[in-house]
Amino acid sequence: MINLHITTVLMPLIASIVAGLFGAKIGRERSHQITIAAVGLSFLISLYLLINSLGDDFQVQNYNLYSWAIVGNLHMDIGFLIDRLSLLMMVVVTFVSLMVHIYTIGYMHDDPGYQRFFSYISLFTFAMLMLVMSNNFLQLFFGWEAVGLVSYLLIGFWFKRESAVTANLKAFLVNRVGDFGFLLGIAGIVFFTNSLDYYDVFSQVDLIASNEIKITETTSWNAMTMICILLFIGAMGKSAQAPLHVWLPDSMEGPTPISALIHAATMVTAGIFMVARMSPLFELSEMALAFVLIIGSVTAFFMGLLGIIQNDIKRVVAYSTLSQLGYMTVALGVSAYSAAIFHLMTHAFFKALLFLAAGSVIIAMHHEQDIRKMGGLKKYMPITYITSLIGTLALVGFPGSAGFFSKDALIETVKYSHWLGDGMIYWISYLSVLLGVFITSLYSFRMFFMVFHGEERMDKETKSHLHETPTVVTMPLILLAIPSVFVGWFTIKPLLFGEYFDGAIQVLPQHDVLAQLSESFHGSWDFLLHSFTASLAFYMAFLGFSVAWLLYIKFPEIPNKIRTKMRAIVVVLEEKYFFDTLWMKVFPSLGKSIGRILWKQGDEKMIDGALVNGTAYGIRSIASVIRNIQTGYLYHYAFAMIVGLVIILSWLLWT
């Protein structure tokens, strides 16, 4: 098994090196063949390992390959933790990555950086696998930073575009803010446990929870709360939670396959996976869980609202990612870690499908991304239309789709999370996810109707060349559409109400909302029927669909009237709540102003003026005085000696 684990990780890395260093020699076709074969092999091995793990005799494998460094008693090892949580993530990551690799052949076939692109996405897959398979915080941090580095390269892949360079720099810097918190959290863990190994740390959770960290003379924080919040700040950066979300919509500057890879199954889900992996820590701090819950609720609701006013097809899908990541974070905050991972899995399939379908539309429209210039594409692109419909239905949680099972279950877990109390936090979280269903349905069907239905708004030249995209583009859409429909039916029971995550995820009995929910679960069909009778989510989704149909099919003139009447609200949404202004203008300007003050007042006047130049001036002044008594005449020096002697004798006699 160890050899299979190593092969799974190293194949994408080797393929990346070959395509990156020797791509010019081996050619475009050979480059994509090698990278696709490598990622495909990683997927097959991951799937094989996952199937084998379903038996009762499955044993978790936790081992170190080698020691990277030893500092005192602190061992920094490289190793793997292969349990059902990591196996599920491995299958999801490699499958989505494989679909993206295949799709890239059609999408990037004319791009001069073809081999470089395949090298990057294979390296991205390697980094993500290292992250999810790690058994210690050092390797986790390596994968964490490697994913961030490669995302920087991918977002700015078209580096001749100024907007792409700005976007990748923005993503890199914002993630560094989160990663600083993440690193401090790991440092806190090492400080209290003197270990980086997951199991060693988890065995000492009571020790961490019993300590406090002194903030001020009168204020102390529980060590576990502080560490968990710092770790989650890292997750806020990677998983784009408010206010560290601003990088993700701008990452659309990268090629569409990257949008699918980053936003679906890999980078943005790293934070969700990390918190689920750290469940033994978070369970001992209800304050940290409440913090996670509030951040998730804000992101789920307010980021969804931004999707309503977007006109770029990729940005609409990007804001839906922000909202869905908020849903997952809310589930983490109510200790429903399994529900978060379940939604992570289903979301990976249908969100990758939506991004790749958007890319298919962009190809057909000659790289036009404005949905206001589309319409009526249904008859020209039947495969893209059907797969987009499947992805949209899964996103809004239509009964029977994969998204329905995960999202509905997630909302129910929030409903049952009364251990938080029935106060403001509970109602904010519950209403956020419930109203978020309506918002998701509204902007999803708005995009769907404006792209595939209604009046054809494209120019004549574009219209004359409209046709379905090649098989190499549509095949990944079909393959992703299949799990987007069916995967929820047979995975909801083992993932949420079975023993699949036993040992991988730990939940205190008083926090176990899934145990309460399981009492009313009687199979997938019953869960489906339950949504029509006892769940508000279905009706909120239907309401969103109805409003979208009325506004963009039946009465398409109304949206412009609404925008005119509610101009103030529209401006706030168009400015994205001014977060971009805050991060990109206010904070840099404030930093520059403080820097200028420190430069002019501190450096030039205080250090250079008072200390350096002032000291020199003082010594020069004293020297100029002393110089006057250095006459060179012997009698002057003898007189000075006599005066000095008189003064000394007088002092001695006086004392």
Side-chain angles (χ1 to χ4, degrees):
M1 288 294 183
I2 295 176
N3 291 334
L4 291 178
H5 302 158
I6 296 173
T7 302
T8 303
V9 172
L10 291 185
M11 287 304 295
L13 175 63
I14 295 170
S16 173
I17 294 171
V18 172
L21 297 181
F22 308 105
K25 292 183 178 181
I26 63 177
R28 297 162 67 92
E29 186 175 349
R30 192 60 58 85
S31 294
H32 76 237
Q33 287 175 348
I34 291 172
T35 51
I36 290 173
V39 175
L41 180 60
S42 294
F43 166 65
L44 291 174
I45 295 174
S46 300
L47 185 61
Y48 168 77
L49 293 172
L50 178 65
I51 294 171
N52 277 353
S53 73
L54 300 178
D56 295 333
D57 58 344
F58 172 71
Q59 297 291 324
V60 174
Q61 293 179 282
N62 179 29
Y63 58 89
N64 295 321
L65 293 171
Y66 63 93
S67 290
W68 182 68
I70 300 176
V71 182
N73 295 324
L74 181 64
H75 288 252
M76 302 179 185
D77 300 318
I78 302 298
F80 294 140
L81 171 59
I82 307 300
D83 58 7
R84 287 169 176 163
L85 175 59
S86 57
L87 286 171
L88 180 65
M89 292 296 298
M90 288 163 61
V91 170
V92 171
V93 168
T94 52
F95 177 70
V96 174
S97 179
L98 178 61
M99 296 299 103
V100 170
H101 274 72
I102 297 171
Y103 181 91
T104 299
I105 299 173
Y107 193 89
M108 301 289 290
H109 66 96
D110 291 328
D111 197 283
Y114 190 84
Q115 295 96 316
R116 177 166 58 93
F117 190 84
F118 274 99
S119 175
Y120 285 172
I121 57 179
S122 290
L123 185 61
F124 196 98
T125 307
F126 159 75
M128 194 65 193
L129 287 172
M130 287 291 287
L131 191 156
V132 300
M133 295 172 66
S134 63
N135 70 343
N136 61 84
F137 286 93
L138 174 70
Q139 190 173 325
L140 174 69
F141 189 72
F142 166 78
W144 194 270
E145 292 301 307
V147 166
L149 172 63
V150 185
S151 70
Y152 170 82
L153 298 173
L154 287 167
I155 294 169
F157 182 79
W158 289 321
F159 53 83
K160 293 184 179 180
R161 296 182 184 176
E162 186 177 349
S163 57
V165 174
T166 303
N168 73 352
L169 187 60
K170 187 178 184 179
F172 190 79
L173 293 176
V174 172
N175 272 278
R176 297 293 73 74
V177 174
D179 293 352
F180 181 65
F182 187 58
L183 190 59
L184 288 177
I186 294 175
I189 288 171
V190 174
F191 178 80
F192 286 106
T193 66
N194 196 36
S195 178
L196 287 164
D197 184 86
Y198 290 161
Y199 281 6
D200 282 349
V201 172
F202 295 162
S203 66
Q204 301 182 64
V205 290
D206 291 333
L207 172 66
I208 302 174
S210 62
N211 279 278
E212 291 193 345
I213 298 175
K214 196 171 184 180
I215 307 299
T216 65
E217 288 295 327
T218 58
T219 306
S220 296
W221 275 29
N222 179 264
M224 185 65 80
T225 298
M226 177 69 82
I227 288 171
C228 288
I229 289 176
L230 288 171
L231 290 175
F232 182 68
I233 289 173
M236 287 170 64
K238 277 290 181 288
S239 295
Q241 297 296 290
L244 300 182
H245 67 282
V246 294
W247 66 270
L248 191 138
D250 288 353
S251 67
M252 296 297 103
E253 290 294 334
T256 299
I258 290 316
S259 302
L261 198 58
I262 291 177
H263 296 76
T266 51
M267 181 174 170
V268 295
T269 60
I272 308 299
F273 164 79
M274 184 274 293
V275 175
R277 176 64 81 193
M278 300 300 129
S279 59
L281 303 178
F282 281 84
E283 281 298 285
L284 295 184
S285 175
E286 290 192 358
M287 183 179 290
L289 288 174
F291 179 76
V292 172
L293 182 60
I294 292 170
I295 295 295
S297 300
V298 170
T299 305
F301 180 74
F302 288 101
M303 296 304 110
L305 288 175
L306 296 181
I308 300 173
I309 55 98
Q310 300 300 316
N311 295 313
D312 186 305
I313 187 171
K314 288 172 64 177
R315 285 184 176 265
V316 176
V317 186
Y319 278 106
S320 77
T321 299
L322 285 173
S323 180
Q324 298 308 303
L325 288 167
Y327 272 83
M328 300 175 207
T329 305
V330 167
L332 297 173
V334 298
S335 293
Y337 307 99
S338 301
I341 297 298
F342 184 33
H343 194 53
L344 183 157
M345 178 191 68
T346 61
H347 175 265
F349 298 132
F350 65 72
K351 186 53 58 69
L353 170 60
L354 285 171
F355 267 114
L356 297 187
S360 178
V361 171
I362 292 169
I363 294 172
M365 292 290 297
H366 299 285
H367 294 277
E368 176 60 65
Q369 297 183 195
D370 193 333
I371 60 176
R372 294 171 297 183
K373 299 179 182 178
M374 301 178 188
L377 294 183
K378 174 184 176 181
K379 65 181 180 182
Y380 301 103
M381 307 178 70
I383 298 176
T384 302
Y385 171 78
I386 294 171
T387 52
S388 295
L389 178 60
I390 291 172
T392 302
L393 292 175
L395 175 60
V396 303
F398 183 80
S401 66
F404 157 75
F405 288 104
S406 59
K407 182 182 281 190
D408 222 57
L410 192 154
I411 294 170
E412 289 297 297
T413 61
V414 179
K415 181 181 177 181
Y416 280 87
S417 61
H418 291 291
W419 63 266
L420 289 165
D422 293 324
M424 185 173 62
I425 294 178
Y426 169 79
W427 285 108
I428 287 175
S429 59
Y430 183 57
L431 290 175
S432 295
V433 295
L434 199 58
L435 293 174
V437 176
F438 165 76
I439 296 168
T440 301
S441 182
L442 175 58
Y443 66 67
S444 297
F445 280 106
R446 169 183 178 263
M447 181 185 72
F448 184 77
F449 290 145
M450 291 185 72
V451 172
F452 294 104
H453 292 271
E455 178 188 356
E456 297 177 359
R457 297 178 296 276
M458 70 286 293
D459 58 67
K460 290 182 179 180
E461 184 178 354
T462 302
K463 186 178 178 179
S464 64
H465 293 94
L466 277 175
H467 58 83
E468 186 61 88
T469 46
T471 303
V472 73
V473 173
T474 56
M475 184 176 66
L477 302 182
I478 296 169
L479 293 175
L480 284 165
I482 295 171
S484 298
V485 175
F486 297 109
V487 76
W489 286 92
F490 55 87
T491 57
I492 181 171
K493 184 177 180 179
L495 293 187
L496 296 190
F497 310 115
E499 299 178 350
Y500 182 84
F501 288 123
D502 283 4
I505 292 174
Q506 298 181 28
V507 182
L508 295 178
Q510 60 267 34
H511 296 170
D512 198 353
V513 290
L514 286 173
Q516 301 177 47
L517 187 60
S518 66
E519 296 175 2
S520 59
F521 180 79
H522 304 290
S524 301
W525 273 108
D526 182 78
F527 193 82
L528 177 67
L529 296 174
H530 174 80
S531 68
F532 295 106
T533 57
S535 176
L536 292 174
F538 168 74
Y539 298 99
M540 297 298 288
F542 182 76
L543 180 62
F545 164 81
S546 302
V547 173
W549 180 80
L550 286 171
L551 293 179
Y552 299 100
I553 298 295
K554 189 70 173 176
F555 306 107
E557 70 280 358
I558 292 181
N560 287 330
K561 295 180 180 179
I562 295 175
R563 291 176 72 93
T564 304
K565 293 281 186 181
M566 306 178 69
R567 187 58 189 164
I569 297 174
V570 172
V571 168
V572 172
L573 295 177
E574 286 177 342
E575 293 294 330
K576 295 169 281 191
Y577 309 116
F578 301 96
F579 275 115
D580 274 1
T581 303
L582 185 66
W583 282 108
M584 306 308 293
K585 292 183 179 179
V586 175
F587 284 164
S589 298
L590 184 62
K592 287 172 68 176
S593 299
I594 294 172
R596 180 173 289 275
I597 293 171
L598 293 174
W599 169 34
K600 292 292 185 181
Q601 304 299 323
D603 187 41
E604 288 189 351
K605 290 188 177 182
M606 183 68 70
I607 298 174
D608 287 345
L611 296 180
V612 178
N613 296 332
T615 303
Y617 178 78
I619 293 173
R620 186 175 62 186
S621 300
I622 294 170
S624 65
V625 174
I626 296 175
R627 187 186 300 119
N628 293 325
I629 61 175
Q630 300 295 321
T631 62
Y633 294 110
L634 183 61
Y635 64 88
H636 284 170
Y637 299 150
F639 180 74
M641 293 173 63
I642 293 169
V643 171
L645 184 61
V646 170
I647 292 172
I648 293 171
L649 290 173
S650 300
W651 173 259
L652 292 173
L653 289 172
W654 180 263
T655 56

